[in-house]
Amino acid sequence: MKLIISPNIEKKLKEKHEVLPKEVMQCFENRVGALLQDTREDHKTDPPTEWFIAETNSGRSLKVCIVQTDSGVFLKTAFEPSAEEIRIYSTHAF
């Protein structure tokens, strides 16, 4: 898997969400549940946006949003999930 993080996304992760790229990679390595597709009208993309929640090696939970293409996996964002996002993921990803 080739994870692609654009400079703009990396800046947003750092400044807005205080998330490091290495934390995102750790979430990929530690993911247990399935990828869920974001079906909200405001977030629909082609190819579809998918997301998961996983922990970093230090135990920090992050919601990771990606778009998969033939060129690789493009990171859209990563941030600490809300209680509702955790509930949705726990219900539908396992």
Side-chain angles (χ1 to χ4, degrees):
M1 169 199 73
K2 179 181 177 187
L3 180 62
I4 301 161
I5 305 174
S6 73
N8 287 342
I9 294 296
E10 189 167 350
K11 181 178 178 183
K12 179 175 95 169
L13 290 178
K14 182 179 178 183
E15 293 177 1
K16 184 175 181 182
H17 302 301
E18 297 181 0
V19 172
L20 299 173
K22 72 176 185 177
E23 291 179 298
V24 174
M25 289 304 300
Q26 292 169 4
C27 286
F28 274 95
E29 294 165 0
N30 297 334
R31 181 172 65 93
V32 178
L35 289 171
L36 297 182
Q37 189 170 338
D38 193 339
T39 58
R40 297 174 294 172
E41 194 61 39
D42 291 350
H43 296 266
K44 283 188 178 180
T45 57
D46 184 23
T49 298
E50 298 174 301
W51 64 279
F52 65 91
I53 295 174
E55 288 188 354
T56 65
N57 292 350
S58 65
R60 181 184 186 191
S61 290
L62 294 178
K63 177 180 178 182
V64 178
C65 301
I66 59 170
V67 173
Q68 297 188 67
T69 71
D70 292 338
S71 302
V73 177
F74 290 83
L75 182 67
K76 288 185 69 176
T77 193
F79 52 87
E80 293 183 7
S82 68
E84 178 65 6
E85 290 164 329
I86 293 169
R87 184 197 66 76
I88 291 168
Y89 194 70
S90 298
T91 301
H92 298 286
F94 296 95

